[in-house]
Amino acid sequence: MASESRLYTFSPETQEKLRKFRLGTSRAKDPQAVVYQIDKHSLEIAQADDETYTNVQELADELPDHSPRFVLLSYPLTLPSGRLSVPYVMLYYLPVTCNAELRMLYAGAKELMRNTAEVGKVIEISEAEELETIEEKLGGAA
């Protein structure tokens, strides 16, 4: 991980936002998601917009068609045992139509983003429509 941490950067403000989001969503009653992107020139990883999405469909509508993104998602769900769980995961959104340069850029930062955001699991998706079945991927009761 040492080489990634020298190549990609997080501003102190972004690190604080990551920490607050992680701590603030653990008791959420609704899904919470924030989208992160990498600036191609500075290689800084930062929040794409100031939006915190609470609707998975709105999130799907906002994801670009040809550019990867990291999406941090806290998703309350009921497990088959009936227990409530709030998994905190990173969605690695990598559309099949994105170019090789962007693929490499995001692939190189994936583990650093995972570790910095302190997510429990990374779920790779290639199209926004896959968000419709996110509950199944998280292991919730259907």
Side-chain angles (χ1 to χ4, degrees):
M1 178 163 125
S3 63
E4 295 95 11
S5 61
R6 285 193 301 265
L7 183 61
Y8 301 97
T9 60
F10 290 92
S11 70
E13 180 184 286
T14 297
Q15 289 178 332
E16 183 62 18
K17 280 183 177 180
L18 285 168
R19 190 182 75 76
K20 282 184 176 175
F21 183 75
R22 181 176 52 84
L23 296 174
T25 59
S26 62
R27 302 269 182 249
K29 301 286 183 241
D30 296 311
Q32 306 273 316
V34 287
V35 179
Y36 281 81
Q37 66 186 16
I38 301 173
D39 181 298
K40 281 192 340 186
H41 304 291
S42 68
L43 298 182
E44 181 179 344
I45 301 171
Q47 199 167 331
D49 52 35
D50 288 331
E51 190 78 30
T52 298
Y53 298 92
T54 56
N55 179 310
V56 177
Q57 188 55 52
E58 282 178 25
L59 172 63
D61 292 343
E62 289 301 313
L63 290 174
D65 292 336
H66 307 293
S67 182
R69 293 289 185 267
F70 298 123
V71 179
L72 299 179
L73 175 67
S74 177
Y75 195 96
L77 49 85
T78 303
L79 299 174
S81 65
R83 212 184 74 192
L84 183 68
S85 175
V86 187
Y88 176 56
V89 300
M90 180 175 87
L91 304 177
Y92 177 41
Y93 174 64
L94 189 65
V96 291
T97 56
C98 80
N99 68 40
E101 179 188 6
L102 285 174
R103 282 179 183 276
M104 294 302 293
L105 187 69
Y106 279 78
K110 183 171 103 172
E111 286 303 312
L112 178 64
M113 182 67 185
R114 173 191 196 147
N115 294 332
T116 305
E118 299 181 46
V119 296
K121 182 178 183 180
V122 175
I123 298 173
E124 295 189 16
I125 60 173
S126 58
E127 42 190 62
E129 289 74 38
E130 289 181 61
L131 285 171
E132 294 170 13
T133 61
I134 196 66
E135 194 165 323
E136 293 168 27
K137 292 178 181 175
L138 294 171

